[in-house]
Amino acid sequence: MSPKSITIFLCGDVMIGRGIDQILPHPCDPILYEGYARSALDYVTLAEYINGPISRPAPVPYIWGAALDELARFRPQLRIINLETSVTRSPRHWPKGINYRASPENAACLSALGVDCCALANNHVLDWGRAGLIETLETLDRLRIKASGAGRNQSDAWGPAVFEIEGTAARVLIFSCAIATSGPPDSWAATNQDPGIAFLPDTSRASSTLLIEHIAKHRRAGDIIILSLHWGPNWGYDIPARDRDFAHRLIDEADVSILHGHSSHHPKGLEIYNRRLIINGCGDFLNDYEGISGYEEFHGELSLMYFVQLDVDSRLLGRVTMTPLKMRRFQLVRPRPDEAQWLCDTLDRESRKLGAAVTLTPDERLELSLFA
């Protein structure tokens, strides 16, 4: 029997580099080139000072903590993350101030999460140069994890990751690109000769037209289209009108079912447009920021798992459930009830501006609906 719907897991920025890489069994050289830290171990020390000791080396699945139970509960057919880390032992860093990398051996943690696809168009995947990007792609290929948004040339970078839906003729196509507002330099754009990312300078009509044309080259009737988009600043809830117009046009003209937005370090408001989902900012899913001061009002330590149900035939949105988590000692744990309530209240406030509502269920998960 053909499935009538599929469930897709999405999350925001996954940073398995720097401090997190150091607690796993096979860390890179901890050297950093930051103005305020010269060793990735400094981030481990800071996290331990705030929340207590971290047993090292931690087992590879350790960092995912409570997320593994949620994935076992929802059993999504696809698991998609934004991998905001270069997976490499390359010693040549890009001189940009902050550089994330994890060792190819520690990338086994992605398999422990069951990741199917990594969106790579972001402002950290080339932190250790083009050689680091090539090693990232090779490592993901070895782990049998598909990638989109970066490649060995322009064609690779702009091409989608393609997944067949068992029991149907339909496919899921995952495209990924980065907008300049999220921080990647234009020199990171892939060319016909050079590895790089799928890069757009802005969310203008010209940029949306280019992206619509790229999608049209690969799409066929019945395909479910997911666009993973790294855009906007790290902090703040504002959704510019031009970005909403950009998202709406991608839905109207490229038949995008889910716009998977990320870059913000905290979740932002969600929108349901023509029964398609716009996640403007997923927030960070995992990072090594524990103990770093600033922007406390956004509660960047709180994460969300997004479980999105889509109808296979119509490609329209079904149920959207979000599970709140919290980063503590470089591991994802369930938050306190008051933290889950704060996250619900904040997302509801911001989503209502976009015509949607968020409610907290008795089991402390969040549900998205249209705001009537």
Side-chain angles (χ1 to χ4, degrees):
M1 179 180 287
S2 299
K4 294 189 178 301
S5 67
I6 60 170
T7 299
I8 298 168
F9 162 68
L10 306 112
C11 67
D13 300 350
V14 173
M15 304 173 185
I16 57 171
R18 214 166 59 176
I20 291 175
D21 177 65
Q22 293 302 305
I23 70 165
L24 294 175
H26 305 286
C28 291
D29 183 336
I31 188 170
L32 295 177
Y33 301 92
E34 301 174 4
Y36 40 83
R38 293 296 177 179
S39 171
L41 290 167
D42 294 344
Y43 289 93
V44 181
T45 300
L46 184 57
E48 291 183 322
Y49 177 77
I50 296 297
N51 287 319
I54 302 169
S55 180
R56 289 179 268 163
V60 165
Y62 164 84
I63 56 178
W64 308 121
L68 297 176
D69 294 334
E70 287 298 284
L71 288 167
R73 181 181 188 274
F74 282 91
R75 295 189 296 175
Q77 282 86 351
L78 277 178
R79 307 179 186 198
I80 304 167
I81 70 169
N82 175 53
L83 180 61
E84 202 168 25
T85 298
S86 183
V87 180
T88 181
R89 289 188 181 273
S90 171
R92 300 187 64 180
H93 72 289
W94 200 288
K96 60 191 287 285
I98 296 177
N99 302 83
Y100 296 127
R101 67 172 168 174
S103 74
E105 297 86 353
N106 283 344
C109 67
L110 301 175
S111 295
L113 190 65
V115 174
D116 294 299
C117 180
C118 291
L120 296 180
N122 57 58
N123 60 318
H124 284 289
V125 75
L126 271 90
D127 277 0
W128 295 84
R130 300 191 193 279
L133 172 58
I134 294 297
E135 192 169 8
T136 301
L137 295 168
E138 291 173 346
T139 301
L140 293 177
D141 188 58
R142 174 174 54 81
L143 294 171
R144 298 184 179 179
I145 297 173
K146 294 186 180 183
S148 67
R152 292 168 175 80
N153 53 49
Q154 188 178 63
S155 178
D156 283 349
W158 283 97
V162 180
F163 294 88
E164 306 288 338
I165 303 176
E166 188 175 355
T168 77
R171 307 180 301 171
V172 177
L173 271 57
I174 303 167
F175 294 85
S176 171
C177 69
I179 308 294
T181 53
S182 63
D186 57 9
S187 58
W188 283 17
T191 69
N192 289 334
Q193 294 80 33
D194 296 320
I197 64 172
F199 174 86
L200 288 174
D202 51 37
T203 54
S204 65
R205 190 168 183 84
S207 290
S208 62
T209 297
L210 180 63
L211 187 49
I212 289 165
E213 290 172 352
H214 277 296
I215 293 172
K217 291 177 185 177
H218 299 274
R219 188 184 71 200
R220 66 191 188 199
D223 284 344
I224 293 172
I225 308 297
I226 298 175
L227 173 59
S228 193
L229 194 63
H230 205 63
W231 63 345
N234 293 152
W235 305 102
Y237 295 108
D238 180 55
I239 312 296
R242 65 181 178 277
D243 290 355
R244 289 190 72 188
D245 291 343
F246 181 87
H248 292 176
R249 189 173 181 220
L250 266 294
I251 290 171
D252 290 337
E253 299 187 32
D255 201 28
V256 169
S257 290
I258 302 174
L259 192 149
H260 171 219
H262 35 79
S263 176
S264 59
H265 288 326
H266 57 87
K268 301 174 76 169
L270 300 104
E271 181 176 3
I272 299 172
Y273 174 75
N274 288 345
R275 291 193 62 190
R276 309 300 175 100
L277 177 63
I278 302 171
I279 307 173
N280 287 290
C282 288
D284 287 350
F285 189 58
L286 185 72
N287 61 40
D288 66 351
Y289 293 175
E290 287 177 59
I292 298 176
S293 60
Y295 302 101
E296 284 84 357
E297 69 271 24
F298 293 102
H299 290 279
E301 74 279 5
L302 298 179
S303 293
L304 276 178
M305 304 179 77
Y306 297 78
F307 294 98
V308 182
Q309 188 181 73
L310 293 176
D311 181 87
V312 171
D313 292 331
S314 68
R315 305 175 301 285
L316 298 178
L317 187 65
R319 190 174 186 179
V320 180
T321 304
M322 296 164 281
T323 302
L325 296 173
K326 181 179 182 179
M327 291 172 264
R328 190 170 186 273
R329 294 205 295 266
F330 294 171
Q331 184 184 54
L332 293 165
V333 300
R334 291 303 295 261
R336 300 189 312 265
D338 64 296
E339 293 172 321
Q341 186 65 62
W342 180 90
L343 193 52
C344 177
D345 292 344
T346 301
L347 278 179
D348 183 58
R349 180 194 72 213
E350 296 304 319
S351 298
R352 283 175 183 258
K353 299 173 185 177
L354 307 171
V358 177
T359 55
L360 188 66
T361 65
D363 59 3
E364 295 183 355
R365 293 178 177 88
L366 279 57
E367 295 280 351
L368 179 70
S369 62
L370 283 171
F371 173 52

